[in-house]
Amino acid sequence: MQRTITARARARATDGGTNRWVVLFVLCVSLLLVALDATILHVAVPSLTEDLRPSSTALLWIVDAYPLICASLLILFGTLGDRVGRRRVLLLGYALFGVASAVAALATEPGVLIAARALLGVGGAMIMPATLSILRTVFPDRRERATAIGIWTATAAIGAATGPVLGGFLVENYWWGSVFLINIPLMALILPLGRRLLPESRGAADGPWDVLGALMAAAGVLGCVLGVKRAGAGEPLLALPTAGPLLLGAGLLVLFVRRQRRRPHPLIDMRLFSRAAFTTSVGCIVIGMLALVGLELIAVQYLQLVLGLSPLETGLRLLPLTFAAMAAGATGSYTLRRIGPRRMVGWGFVLTAGAVLLLTFMGQDDRPLLLTVGFVLLGFGLQTTLFSAYESMLSEAPQRSAGGAAAIGETSYQLGAGMGIALLGSVMNAAYAPGLASVPGVPAEASSAASNSLGEAYKVADQLGGTAGAALHQAARHAFVDGLHITLCVSAALLLVGAAMARRLPRVMECPAEPDGSGDAYEVYESCRPAKTCEPATACEPIGTRESIGTRGPIESCEPAEALQPAEPRVPATREAIEPAGSGRPAH
């Protein structure tokens, strides 16, 4: 009987029986495009700069407009999808993303390209939380949802790592606008597919949507991310352009939290943060992304500027990290069931820290085997951590708040990425600059200019020429590698902090029901148990369930052979716990 109920709920969750794995495919393709766009532009910057001739400020906004706008609007569109329909917001994001890609590809002025990148950020903010919240709806069974999230997180890793490779190929063979143009045919394909196959779902729709709160959250996140990015670019932390946005953003976020706590129908249920597993998962996502993005940025500089690899060769060197991430996503569900969230996140961080320490053996010369092994361990360990953290965070949130929870997770992802560039970049700069303070034969002004970055040092060395230029070139290489080793050690320490945080996660992967009527159909049915007496069939549908999963018509009643009564709160009769191996308890 329980299996029959589960099958019915799954069919309803996909809006008329559309195969949920087909839905997952559509969601992953859309996520792949967004992840690609976040990194594919980086290798096109030199070609773009030569063609459009933007100022230094305009070039900074061309690169940063997309992540800034996307990060700031995630909460707004995530919670809006809970109210008006996640599928509707997602389809609008598809259309906007395609139009903005066409404008960016054909831009002939820096201002037009900046505006197009901002529109791409708006489209990305519509797509990213909607994909995760729809996934939460169509996979109500936590065990299947774990598999789906593993595929989803692996897709994000593939997009981020494939971006530089694909971008390098396109720039070398076509023009810089081709990195945007590839989005258009894919969006033209996925928009009708999404309209046909994706189910509509909504969350809690009680009370008016808090427009002011959504704008406060957007402005607060924008200020924080902007301040963090400026700090990562080397500007002093206490300078007004850096400290001003940080303080203003933090203040707005504090006011947003206070406003949500007072409202009877908040955008985001702040009670989620009272759950240790939810808060810890969010923190682990921040630390994981902090390490990944900061390390990738430094690794790219090392491969190109120290080893002298081309952008395409650099992307190919990073492919082992992508393949390892794919393997971690593919095996993540099985691993989570076997060892539980606490061990999976904790050991994932430890493995990543070990990989980072292994990379400290990098030097002036190319060591392909060492880099490959280090990148494989780094990709597998970090993807294992991110997968389990995302799965635990999403499973802690009820279905009615899936959009808000997904937006929190994606905002944490973006903040972690910005903080990684700022923190590890600052450590790298602080460790690199002293090595150029007194190079024999090099004027103080040249040494000061060379201390800004390794690329700048090479330019200064070329201008000096002769013995002084060669000495500066060699000193800059040595200083960069020494700074890289210090930065890797700091990153390893942060990852070990994440491993300690993981001790607050549940020891086992639990599959509880949601007896409060806020869950989806599968969880509501699972919260029923047989009564002692046989009575006529009783409908097992709490108020509000039908709208939350997008079903139409009356829901089927429970079997007449036994009346089904709601289980005791928080102690569902069909609760299942996936015990880790060797725990002494039988796994169900």
Side-chain angles (χ1 to χ4, degrees):
M1 158 125 180
Q2 180 178 332
R3 294 181 182 274
T4 302
I5 291 170
T6 302
R8 291 173 182 170
R10 286 173 180 165
R12 292 189 189 96
T14 51
D15 195 23
T18 299
N19 191 301
R20 56 194 179 280
W21 299 105
V22 175
V23 172
L24 176 64
F25 172 78
V26 175
L27 296 177
C28 286
V29 171
S30 58
L31 178 66
L32 181 64
L33 290 174
V34 175
L36 273 173
D37 209 74
T39 58
I40 198 171
L41 182 65
H42 293 168
V43 295
V45 167
S47 176
L48 180 154
T49 303
E50 184 179 351
D51 188 14
L52 298 184
R53 302 290 181 181
S55 65
S56 57
T57 303
L59 182 60
L60 181 66
W61 278 106
I62 288 172
V63 175
D64 288 343
Y66 176 84
L68 283 174
I69 298 299
C70 185
S72 63
L73 296 179
L74 286 168
I75 292 176
L76 188 152
F77 286 119
T79 56
L80 180 63
D82 285 342
R83 295 302 182 99
V84 304
R86 295 151 186 160
R87 172 178 170 271
R88 182 178 300 175
V89 172
L90 181 61
L91 294 179
L92 183 58
Y94 287 163
L96 186 59
F97 206 84
V99 171
S101 297
V103 175
L106 302 175
T108 57
E109 297 290 337
V112 175
L113 184 55
I114 292 172
R117 289 279 289 169
L119 286 177
L120 282 169
V122 176
M126 292 179 174
I127 293 171
M128 291 175 71
T131 59
L132 198 53
S133 55
I134 291 176
L135 186 150
R136 171 69 172 84
T137 301
V138 298
F139 288 95
D141 183 347
R142 182 172 182 180
R143 288 163 293 191
E144 285 192 346
R145 184 165 66 242
T147 301
I149 292 176
I151 297 171
W152 186 88
T153 53
T155 301
I158 292 169
T162 307
V165 180
L166 182 59
F169 171 79
L170 292 172
V171 171
E172 288 184 7
N173 292 276
Y174 302 100
W175 93 109
W176 62 265
S178 59
V179 301
F180 300 109
L181 208 58
I182 61 171
N183 294 336
I184 298 175
L186 293 175
M187 281 299 173
L189 173 65
I190 201 173
L191 184 59
L193 279 179
R195 184 178 179 185
R196 179 179 179 85
L197 298 176
L198 295 179
E200 184 59 282
S201 64
R202 292 180 176 87
D206 298 332
W209 186 55
D210 185 8
V211 179
L212 178 59
L215 294 177
M216 289 173 62
V221 173
L222 178 62
C224 289
V225 175
L226 180 60
V228 166
K229 281 187 170 291
R230 288 186 180 276
E235 296 189 16
L237 184 61
L238 298 181
L240 184 60
T242 303
L246 272 175
L247 293 176
L248 180 61
L252 286 172
L253 289 178
V254 170
L255 293 176
F256 170 75
V257 171
R258 294 182 61 184
R259 179 181 177 85
Q260 298 309 299
R261 285 179 173 174
R262 292 197 305 265
R263 290 182 65 84
H265 304 293
L267 284 174
I268 295 176
D269 188 354
M270 291 299 163
R271 291 174 297 180
L272 288 173
F273 289 97
S274 66
R275 303 182 182 185
F278 185 89
T279 305
T280 302
S281 298
V282 170
C284 289
I285 291 171
V286 172
I287 291 180
M289 286 308 301
L290 186 153
L292 177 62
V293 174
L295 290 176
E296 278 191 343
L297 178 65
I298 295 171
V300 167
Q301 292 178 340
Y302 172 79
L303 293 173
Q304 291 188 0
L305 298 178
V306 176
L307 300 185
L309 302 181
S310 69
L312 181 58
E313 290 172 332
T314 299
L316 292 174
R317 283 293 186 94
L318 293 173
L319 278 183
L321 189 151
T322 304
F323 293 143
M326 292 170 60
T331 59
S333 177
Y334 173 80
T335 307
L336 185 62
R337 292 196 302 268
R338 292 288 296 171
I339 68 175
R342 181 187 300 175
R343 293 180 183 176
M344 189 167 180
V345 174
W347 285 112
F349 272 129
V350 170
L351 178 61
T352 308
V356 169
L357 292 176
L358 177 64
L359 291 175
T360 58
F361 290 97
M362 294 187 301
Q364 302 287 331
D365 300 323
D366 190 6
R367 298 179 181 178
L369 181 59
L370 172 68
L371 292 176
T372 300
V373 173
F375 287 155
V376 166
L377 295 178
L378 178 65
F380 190 89
L382 204 51
Q383 186 63 26
T384 296
T385 298
L386 290 174
F387 158 76
S388 188
Y390 264 109
E391 198 282 333
S392 298
M393 179 204 71
L394 202 60
S395 295
E396 280 294 310
Q399 196 274 337
R400 68 173 182 269
S401 303
I408 292 172
E410 293 298 333
T411 303
S412 304
Y413 185 100
Q414 297 290 340
L415 284 174
M419 290 171 62
I421 295 173
L423 178 60
L424 297 186
S426 298
V427 172
M428 181 69 194
N429 291 335
Y432 163 77
L436 301 178
S438 56
V439 181
V442 178
E445 296 81 3
S447 295
S448 177
S451 65
N452 292 327
S453 67
L454 184 58
E456 187 69 22
Y458 285 172
K459 292 180 181 178
V460 174
D462 291 339
Q463 292 172 358
L464 288 176
T467 305
L472 180 60
H473 190 281
Q474 188 65 18
R477 281 170 56 92
H478 279 288
F480 184 88
V481 173
D482 292 341
L484 175 61
H485 292 164
I486 295 174
T487 306
L488 290 172
C489 291
V490 171
S491 178
L494 291 172
L495 291 166
L496 293 178
V497 171
M501 287 175 54
R503 294 181 61 83
R504 301 184 68 220
L505 291 172
R507 189 174 62 86
V508 298
M509 176 185 175
E510 296 179 342
C511 300
E514 292 187 11
D516 59 359
S518 62
D520 31 47
Y522 170 74
E523 293 165 322
V524 172
Y525 271 86
E526 289 286 88
S527 68
C528 299
R529 64 178 181 180
K532 295 181 179 180
T533 60
C534 295
E535 295 179 5
T538 303
C540 192
E541 182 199 10
I543 296 173
T545 302
R546 181 184 294 116
E547 183 181 15
S548 67
I549 61 173
T551 57
R552 298 176 177 85
I555 196 166
E556 297 180 21
S557 62
C558 302
E559 297 289 338
E562 46 186 354
L564 298 178
Q565 304 289 342
E568 293 293 331
R570 306 302 299 173
V571 191
T574 58
R575 177 186 178 109
E576 298 179 84
I578 310 300
E579 296 285 350
S583 63
R585 297 185 185 179
H588 297 287

